[in-house]
Each structure stands twice: as structure tokens, then as C-alpha cells.
């Protein structure tokens, strides 16, 4: 069967991904290598992700603030492992002016005394403010979030997945005790996991990173890992327990109830526009994007089928009444997002336009429907099926239809995850699992010991350790990289 | 009388401003010169401004998108007057890595082939995308907006008013004709003007800039100008008619209905975090900030007056019931924002805390109020007045009370603007008006001819030409800088 996107997923997954991004008008490459332009359709998905997460952050007591884009080198240097982790991929500002040379060329001028780095993340800069804001136990917990752009110079950029500049939120919190900070770290991990399941229809594995996959400067890094349709893993969000490392580096101290000065405990956590990449690779099909209804910019598109210009006015009026009725219906407390495609274009072209862009429900209205007070509709997750129903029952059932689409998408992603996860206990099985015979990769659960030997063996095989899942098999086995008996199991995968 | 902010406005307006920013916890300076940290209270005002403007932009058909932070030098160079306007204040990225020297110091490494500039504004970069997105008349009008951070290196930074990095929105649109583009320019100017009046309670003068105050590369720049309490002008927003200058530079062309390729017409328009500076300087008093109710992070704060710990639970329950009732009331379609101050702190301290931060309505509840089912409240615009009323009528009238506060703030700002605007027709009067005898400056309407002589004379006097107001006196007079008879009048002022 012919598909709207070429190549198909099975032919070349990575090129299919790029084609979906292009055909769905999600983003495009910019003249600056590694930086992307997020087009309105892609940006609107991001806005929906933002709004829901922002509601959840505020409901859990977090306040938004904004910290500068530029970080002095001396700040980055404060935390030794932190600077080592980010120094290799920084954009460095060295001048504050341009001057024209005699031949009319612009050249940098006004050299700065101390170079500045465009933030790759903001722990060190925010720490400087926190050390002023936190004086007493009364100021704690301090729960701050920032929506911002960050920059990490990428040698192998890939739109949404690995771009030099990306948009994200970074939460930064300060607590009076280790327990509270650890609670916050896990609470935000859980918030992310619930969001990806309940809003993006993406199942995730929650876990903690091993030593060599940790955020530079963290005591422990928690993660949610999702499986793409090619069986590779994508890290969809992280939550870091920073212990007292950054409090020490930034001098964040508070006077406790007994009047004694103590070092505070901090956390940080973030998700980014990478989530849009996950949506594409988990839900897309050979006809293009499929957007989970809760974050779809348009949840329902109405396409008038105009065969005869004399009917235009009547059909548009019919569509507008329908739009109005739909826009008063709700899904999870939010009004439905519905639009009419009035463009001067054939209905066949329009149909494929909306399929490729992944609109969950497409309604078609021609004169037959109008005369019978009905509509025809089809859902993006089962394109071929066109259903004709009367307007009233359609409007009444619409929220349910959208919920069913979400459930269907989540169910099928869950099936793929469980079908493609294997438990192995020998090196041969492990090698066989990653042998690439089939085109779809797998997730592997295997015994684990945190040892450099494992790190080196995995690097050789091009396999990564995604996490030590919070849910453990509770069995004892031998780590076949080290020969050590262990009760810890880890999740291994090829990854993005 | 003692005031909460020292110095008072009349003593030292500029230092008073800085003290309000500090005491209201709006923002603070960052370690990077000219960059600010926007604290949660200040950022929340910005979020309210953003949300309302974003609603208005979307209601007028604009879509949000996101374009890269970094601009190649070659792009800036495309429009000659544009690059001249911005080259003097650019942050230039020249390296993409840091390396540690033998003595442990970090130094820039990985020099870029072509330096990149952090966007001071995005016309040239967005133009490159638009030239791809616009092919046919069917693609027009193209109405795009971006919420972003921008950077212009500032030699004399001032928090919110002139910071190197600031947050803003930049609208960028493409049209098929001169008329449509000019319409859009004026429509957005009008949207800004209505927003400042209806949401920020700030009256503005709408006008067009003279040649030397124009946005670099624009055909004409429209502006809204507001008067601060010291009589100086602040440009609060601009809307640019770019003619075909940037379409030419970026090659934005479309095939018209007749099948002929035409050069398009573009506009751009923006407002920024500077608006928070305007709020402070238009509405603040000697006790601190006064926030217009529609953009106040907290519109009503409830302070329980706990004299005896045994009453704590009863008082808090009373406050929570009240909070719930209030949070269901609406102001311009939005739920009221109400909080309870439960902190362990004296009620006197709390009172001044909220006064300095400018919360519009402060409610106090003690045991007396509880027993009588009443509350005591005072409005920030008339602090001394404490009113005691029963709960039901307070909740019922609250939206009206907030509207009255808005009206009062707008009225008093309007009075100041008209009282401090003079019409002059001679150079002596002009000089006298700007002689600084009193401490409050004035706005001056005087005859105008767009001539370099005027530019030079004004520069000598430290006076700026704010705009040629859209509303003109319709009288003929002589421009006393050039001796030319004219029917055009301009607005002159000292400015920020």
C-alpha cells in the first residue's frame, strides 16, 4: 500500500522521522548548524505541553522566575565535575560589539574581560541567587522553575532530539534536609511519568542512572526512559538529587530552628522540546504524525466538501455551528480545540494535509450530511474507517472519542514496550539481543553491578545503560560483565 | 510622614525606583553586567502580561513559533541600516568549547568559522524562513509571533528599563500589499495601546517616530509613549511598517492571483519586560509598588490575625472558606487570584510586606471578624482606609472593588499626563519647559519639521522627540528650530 510518508518506518526509520518533521511542518533546520526553527504546528504542541506542566508545577507549590542567559566562566568553575561535563559543548561569548573593516566586513570587537557562556543549564547561576534568598529555615523549601532556552553545542544534531539550542524547563529547589530533597526529586520524576502517560500516551520506565550516566555534579539522577518504535530508548526527562554539592559550591546555607547555620540540600529537574521527538517516534505511522489528543493543537478539524459554489455559504454556516457546539465541550477540564479548514484547495489535498499533521479527529461535511443533519468523521488512529453519525450524538460523544484515541495510542505503545523487552542472564543472550538481526531493537533487563568494566564493555557494543528501574525483579543473578553476584537489575538499550 | 520606601519619589526618583524593585522583590542584578534576575513576584506580573497579550494575538489570527537564538553575521549584513543600528551592541559568540590550561584556567577553544550574534531582534533570521514559507498569495497574510529573550549590550543598564538581556515578544508578518501591511502595523499599535490602558491602567500617546528615531531598516515606526511620575517619557511598545526592505533583503516573494511573482510587504512589532518598569514608575508610591489589578500575581491577600494559638485552626478554616469563595469570582473572564499569608510572622510585618509588593486588596481576619462573619479590608490605592464589611457582600462586590481600583489608578495617571503636557510655539517657551526648575519634567507639544537641525538642537538640550502623535492639533505654526511653517506637531520630552 502506498503511504503518505516515504520512506516507510520499516525501510529507514531515521529518514522517515525527518520526513514526518518536514511534512507535518513541525520544524526545520536553521542556517546555524544544530539550531532549529520550531514552526507553528510544532510550537503549538510545545505550548500545550508547557501549559499542562506549568499547571502541575504551580499546583505543587513551584513559582516561575527567570535567570540570565549568560554565565561567567568563574561560575561554571565552582563545581568541578559540573564544568567537566559541560565545557566541551559551550557557546562562548567573547565580544560585545561588531566593527566594519575597510573592505566592509563585520568583525567582532570590544573583547570582554571575562568570557561568558550561554547557559547549558543554570545550577551555578541560580545557586548564586539562592544563596541570597535563603537565610532561614522559614525560607525553605524554595521551589523555583524556569522556562528557557539553553545551548549545548552538538556535533551530530538531530531536530528535536539533539539540537544545539533547545527549549526546556528547569526546576531548582532548596530544602532543609536530605529526606525532603530526595522526596522532591522523586515527586517530580513521578509528575513527569504521569504526564507522559496521561497526556502524551507514552509509557515510560522510571529508574535511576548508573554512575557514568549521572548529571555532572549530581549525587543521583533519576530518569524516565521511553521506547521508540525502532526499539531504541529515549531519555524523556530527568530529576536530579544534588545532595549538598551545589549548596556547597554556591554557599546556600540557612539558620535552622535551633539558631544553627546549616548547609542546604538541592534538586534540579527538566524536560525539553525533545518530548516532541518522542511523540513522533512513539506514535507516528507511515502516513505521518499522530498527536495524542490532549496536546494536539487542533483536536478536531472540520473540512467542508464544497462541490458547487452555490452551496458554499450554507455549508460554511453548518460548519460554524458545529464548531461552536464542539468548542464548548471539554476534555480533562480544557475546552476542545476545533478548527474549520476553509482554504481554497481540493478536499483530497486537505484530507492528506491533516492526516500527515496528525489531527486526532477529521470531520467532513458535504451537502448530503447537511441535509440529513449528520457529519462524517474518521479518527487518525484508524484512518480508513469513516463513520457517519448525526450531529447531536457526535458532539455528545466527542470527548469520549478523543479519550478512546488516547487509550488506543497508549495501549499500543505499551504493547510494543512489553513485547520488545527481554530478560537475559548470560552474555550470549545479551549479545544476541543486540545483534540487530531484525530491524527493531529491544530493551534488555539484565543483572547489574556499577563497575567500570561494565561501562567499557557496553561502549564497545554500542549499547547504553538506560537506568536501574525503580521496580526491580527481586531476584539474585550474576552480572556477566564482572562475574559478581547481585540483586540489582538494569535496563540496557540502544539509544538516541 | 514616614514612608516604607526611602528615599521618597520627590527626593530621588531614580533611587526610589531601585528601592521599589528591591523591596517588592521584583528583580535583582546578576553577576553578568546588565543582565537581571527576574524574581517570582516580577516574573508573575510578566506571565499575566504575556497571557493576556497572547490571547489577543491569537484572537487576531497570529500563531506562535520559535526561531534560533543565534544569528550568523552574514544574515545581519543583509539589511544595511539594520546592521548599522545593532552592530554596536551585540553579544558575539566566537567559540564552541572551553579548554583547561595547565594552571587549571578555562579558556575559549574551538573557534567558529563564522562568528554568531545573539539575536538583538530577529527580522533577518525570520525572513530566511519566511522566504521559504511564502510561495503563493494563498500563504498570505502570514502572521507569526515569538516569545523570546533578546540581547543588546547596554553600557548604562537599568533594571527592567534597559537591560542587556530582556524578555519580549516580536511579531513578524508578511502581506500581499502595502495597505494590508500598514493596516496590520496600526492594528497592533492599537492592540498595545488598548492593553496598556485596559490592563496596566497606563494612558499612552500613540504616534509615529521621526526619521532619526526609527527602527533601523523600517519605513515607519509607530510607538506608544507613556509618562512616568517624574514627567519623563517611556517608549512602551513599537510597531514597524517595514515596507519591502526586509522582503527584498530576505527575498520574500509570492505568486499573485494573476500568476505573477511579487515582492511581499512585512511588519514587526514588540513589547518587553520594560512594561514592568512602566508599571513601577507610573503607579508606585512612597510605600512601594502598586500593581494594576488585572496583572497582579495576587489580587487579594488574606492575612489571619492570630493573637492566641488556640484560635489558629478556626481562623485558618475561616480564611480558607473565604479564599474558596473569592477564587470562584471573575474579573474580565478570569478567576480571581487570592492567597492566604500563613507565614509565622507578625501581622504588622505582613501588612507592610504586601503593601510594598503592591497587592491591590488586603483582607485581615481576626477573631472579632470571625465571630461577626465579617472581614476587614483595605485597598492599596488608599492604604489608610480600613473597611469592615460582612463576608457575603465583600465577595459579591469584590470584582467591582478591583475594577474601581483600576479606574482610580488610570484616572490619576491620566490626570498627571494632561496636567504635565504643555503646548508651546516658541523656542523660549520650549527651553523654559525643559529648564528643570521643578523636579517633575513635562511633555511638550510643539510644531515639527523632520530636519537634521532639529535632531542636533534636541541632542544639545538633552530632549528627545517621542513621536508625531496620531491625533494632531490641526493648526499651522512655525517650527522654531528651522523657521519652517508646518501643520505637523510633535511630542517632545526627556526620556528613559
Amino acid at each position: 500500500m502506498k503511504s503518505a510518508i516515504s520512506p516507510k518506518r520499516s525501510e529507514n526509520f531515521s529518514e522517515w522521522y525527518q520526513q514526518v518533521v518536514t511534512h507535518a511542518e513541525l520544524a526545520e533546520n536553521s542556517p546555524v548548524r544544530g539550531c532549529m526553527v520550531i514552526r507553528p504546528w510544532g510550537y503549538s504542541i510545545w505550548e500545550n505541553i508547557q501549559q499542562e506542566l506549568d499547571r502541575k508545577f504551580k499546583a505543587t507549590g513551584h513559582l516561575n522566575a527567570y535567570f540570565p542567559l549568560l554565565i561567567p566562566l568563574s561560575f561554571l568553575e565552582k563545581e568541578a565535575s559540573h564544568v567537566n561535563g559541560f565545557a566541551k559543548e559551550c557557546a562562548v561569548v567573547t565580544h560585545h560589539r561588531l566593527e566594519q573593516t575597510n573592505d566592509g566586513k563585520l568583525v567582532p570587537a570590544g573583547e570582554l574581560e571575562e568570557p561568558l557562556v550561554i547557559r547549558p543549564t543554570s545550577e551555578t547561576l541560580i545557586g548564586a541567587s539562592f544563596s541570597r534568598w535563603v537565610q532561614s529555615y522559614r525560607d525553605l523549601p524554595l521551589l523555583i522553575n524556569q522556562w528557557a532556552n539553553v545551548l549545548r553545542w552538538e556535533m551530530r544534531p538531530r531536530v528535536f532530539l539533539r539540537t544545539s539550542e533547545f527549549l526546556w524547563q528547569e526546576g531548582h529547589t532548596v530544602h532543609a534536609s536530605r529526606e525532603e530533597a530526595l522526596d522532591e526529586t522523586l515527586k517530580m520524576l513521578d509528575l513527569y511519568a504521569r504526564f507522559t502517560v496521561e497526556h502524551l500516551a507514552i509509557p515510560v520506565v522510571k529508574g535511576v542512572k548508573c554512575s557514568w550516566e549521572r548529571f555532572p555534579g549530581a549525587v543521583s539522577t533519576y530518569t524516565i526512559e521511553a521506547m521508540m518504535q525502532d526499539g531504541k530508548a529515549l531519555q524523556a526527562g530527568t530529576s536530579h538529587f544534588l545532595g549538598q554539592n551545589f549548596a556547597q559550591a554556591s554557599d546556600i546555607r540557612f539558620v535552622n530552628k535551633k539558631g544553627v547555620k546549616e548547609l542546604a540540600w538541592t534538586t534540579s529537574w527538566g524536560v525539553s522540546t525533545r518530548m516532541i521527538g518522542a511523540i513522533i517516534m512513539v506514535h507516528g505511522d507511515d502516513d505521518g504524525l499522530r498527536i495524542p489528543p490532549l496536546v494536539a493543537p487542533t483536536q478536531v478539524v472540520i473540512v467542508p466538501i464544497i462541490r458547487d459554489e452555490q452551496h458554499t455559504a450554507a455549508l460554511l454556516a453548518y460548519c460554524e455551528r458545529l464548531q461552536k457546539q464542539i468548542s464548548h465541550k471539554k476534555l480533562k477540564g480544557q475546552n476542545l480545540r476545533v478548527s474549520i479548514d476553509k482554504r481554497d484547495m481540493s478536499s483530497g489535498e486537505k484530507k492528506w494535509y491533516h492526516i500527515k499533521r496528525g489531527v486526532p479527529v477529521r470531520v467532513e461535511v458535504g451537502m448530503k450530511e447537511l441535509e440529513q443533519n449528520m457529519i462524517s468523521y474518521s479518527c487518525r488512529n484508524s484512518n480508513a474507517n469513516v463513520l457517519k453519525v448525526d450531529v447531536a450524538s457526535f458532539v455528545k460523544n466527542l470527548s469520549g472519542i478523543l479519550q478512546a484515541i488516547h487509550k488506543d495510542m497508549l495501549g499500543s505503545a505499551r504493547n510494543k514496550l512489553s513485547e520488545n523487552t527481554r530478560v537475559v542472564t548470560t552474555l550470549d543472550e545479551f549479545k544476541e539481543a543486540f545483534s540487530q538481526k531484525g530491524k527493531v531493537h529491544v530493551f534488555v533487563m539484565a543483572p547489574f553491578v556499577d563497575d567500570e568494566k561494565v561501562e567499557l564493555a557496553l561502549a564497545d557494543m554500542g549499547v547504553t545503560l538506560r537506568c536501574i528501574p525503580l521496580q526491580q525483579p527481586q531476584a539474585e543473578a550474576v552480572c556477566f560483565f564482572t562475574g559478581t553476584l547481585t540483586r540489582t537489575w538494569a535496563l540496557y538499550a540502544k539509544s538516541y
Side-chain angles (χ1 to χ4, degrees), chain A:
Chain A
M1 214 179 99
K2 207 176 164 296
S3 60
I5 301 297
S6 171
K8 294 185 184 183
R9 287 164 293 173
S10 58
E11 291 162 0
N12 184 339
F13 193 77
S14 136
E15 179 58 22
W16 164 87
Y17 175 82
Q18 192 52 56
Q19 289 302 321
V20 173
V21 169
T22 304
H23 282 269
E25 300 184 339
L26 293 170
E28 62 187 24
N29 289 320
S30 90
V32 177
R33 201 170 162 281
C35 291
M36 62 179 162
V37 173
I38 308 181
R39 302 189 66 173
W41 192 248
Y43 195 77
S44 183
I45 297 176
W46 179 239
E47 284 182 298
N48 292 329
I49 291 174
Q50 273 194 303
Q51 278 164 26
E52 180 58 31
L53 284 175
D54 201 66
R55 267 193 287 273
K56 284 183 171 6
F57 296 156
K58 283 173 178 159
T60 46
H62 301 85
L63 296 173
N64 286 335
Y66 186 78
F67 298 85
L69 173 73
L70 300 176
I71 303 183
L73 282 196
S74 57
F75 276 70
L76 267 196
E77 284 167 343
K78 282 183 183 178
E79 220 288 340
S81 51
H82 190 68
V83 67
N84 289 334
F86 288 106
K88 289 172 213 107
E89 44 179 41
C90 279
V92 191
V93 176
T94 53
H95 296 74
H96 68 81
R97 211 172 63 230
L98 294 170
E99 265 174 19
Q100 212 134 21
T101 56
N102 288 337
D103 57 346
K105 244 183 86 68
L106 284 178
V107 292
E111 192 172 351
L112 299 176
E113 276 178 37
E114 185 186 7
L116 300 166
V117 166
I118 296 180
R119 61 182 161 217
T121 179
S122 306
E123 277 75 7
T124 55
L125 193 66
I126 292 182
S129 284
F130 283 3
S131 78
R132 288 187 296 272
W133 300 359
V134 172
Q135 299 294 329
S136 142
Y137 71 93
R138 285 197 184 85
D139 302 322
L140 299 178
L142 179 63
L143 308 174
I144 300 292
N145 177 60
Q146 158 167 282
W147 291 98
N149 52 347
V150 285
L151 204 140
R152 300 171 186 181
W153 205 265
E154 277 293 345
M155 286 306 167
R156 298 169 303 139
R158 199 117 168 65
V159 65
F160 289 124
L161 301 177
R162 245 188 347 258
T163 47
S164 290
E165 185 191 11
F166 57 91
L167 303 182
W168 80 344
Q169 60 68 218
E170 46 181 321
H172 295 270
T173 69
V174 188
H175 305 265
S177 72
R178 186 179 187 283
E179 292 65 41
E180 276 184 34
L182 204 48
D183 269 4
E184 168 82 6
T185 311
L186 288 167
K187 185 164 120 186
M188 299 321 285
L189 182 78
D190 207 53
L191 188 153
Y192 288 153
R194 273 185 293 118
F195 173 75
T196 55
V197 170
E198 292 169 12
H199 290 262
L200 307 185
I202 297 177
V204 290
V205 178
K206 290 192 279 186
V208 64
K209 292 280 184 189
C210 61
S211 59
W212 62 88
E213 295 279 356
R214 221 173 263 151
F215 176 76
V219 171
S220 49
T221 287
Y222 291 83
T223 180
I224 50 172
E225 299 285 329
M227 180 187 277
M228 307 298 105
Q229 285 181 78
D230 60 352
K232 286 195 193 172
L234 186 78
Q235 174 181 304
T238 47
S239 185
H240 313 295
F241 171 62
L242 304 174
Q244 296 181 307
N245 294 350
F246 285 88
Q248 180 81 56
S250 296
D251 199 27
I252 310 175
R253 287 165 206 275
F254 67 99
V255 174
N256 68 17
K257 286 188 184 174
K258 292 173 191 153
V260 180
K261 212 160 197 180
E262 278 190 51
L263 200 55
W265 301 79
T266 68
T267 82
S268 69
W269 28 273
V271 298
S272 74
T273 35
R274 172 173 254 219
M275 278 197 162
I276 300 172
I279 290 173
I280 301 167
M281 290 198 292
V282 170
H283 297 304
D285 65 16
D286 293 338
D287 287 331
L289 186 60
R290 300 194 311 160
I291 316 180
L294 281 159
V295 295
T298 300
Q299 293 161 322
V300 183
V301 63
I302 305 171
V303 181
I305 312 287
I306 301 171
R307 296 233 156 75
D308 187 337
E309 277 200 16
Q310 72 177 72
H311 296 138
T312 305
L315 271 171
L316 286 183
Y318 189 74
C319 290
E320 277 159 13
R321 273 200 306 280
L322 180 62
Q323 180 182 35
K324 206 168 168 186
Q325 283 176 280
I326 292 174
S327 67
H328 290 306
K329 304 294 286 185
K330 296 199 180 247
L331 187 63
K332 285 220 181 191
Q334 306 296 312
N335 285 338
L336 290 190
R337 297 181 286 272
V338 50
S339 70
I340 304 175
D341 186 346
K342 296 180 186 177
R343 289 174 304 164
D344 179 13
M345 194 187 278
S346 83
S347 50
E349 267 182 280
K350 285 189 191 178
K351 175 180 162 180
W352 286 103
Y353 177 84
H354 297 295
I355 288 176
K356 286 191 282 186
R357 284 159 77 99
V359 177
V361 174
R362 207 177 67 253
V363 174
E364 290 187 350
V365 174
M367 280 311 286
K368 258 206 189 117
E369 280 84 0
L370 185 151
E371 281 155 12
Q372 302 170 329
N373 203 30
M374 298 187 91
I375 58 105
S376 296
Y377 79 95
S378 56
C379 296
R380 179 62 181 84
N381 56 335
S382 51
N383 269 327
N385 246 347
V386 179
L387 298 162
K388 199 164 161 186
V389 293
D390 68 284
V391 169
S393 68
F394 176 69
V395 172
K396 191 171 159 237
N397 295 333
L398 190 48
S399 304
I401 293 170
L402 290 163
Q403 275 164 350
I405 294 173
H406 175 90
K407 211 178 147 187
D408 178 57
M409 293 171 81
L410 178 60
S412 109
R414 276 196 171 135
N415 287 344
K416 277 183 193 132
L417 175 59
S418 68
E419 280 163 16
N420 294 303
T421 301
R422 296 195 201 164
V423 178
V424 315
T425 51
T426 69
L427 188 57
D428 283 348
E429 287 174 303
F430 190 87
K431 282 181 176 163
E432 150 71 20
F434 290 111
S435 66
Q436 288 242 35
K437 263 183 230 158
K439 275 180 184 173
V440 172
H441 300 280
V442 290
F443 276 19
V444 167
M445 280 289 282
F448 171 71
V449 170
D450 199 318
D451 191 296
E452 210 191 351
K453 276 186 204 153
V454 181
E455 183 180 4
L456 295 173
L458 291 177
D460 274 351
M461 299 167 68
V463 172
T464 57
L465 200 144
R466 305 318 304 157
C467 67
I468 300 144
L470 298 189
Q471 275 201 316
Q472 285 281 317
Q474 308 293 354
E476 209 169 41
V478 172
C479 163
F480 41 75
F481 294 112
T482 58
T484 314
L485 196 66
T486 178
R487 295 193 67 85
T488 306
W489 293 68
L491 186 70
Y492 303 80
K494 298 267 182 183
S495 81
Y496 280 94

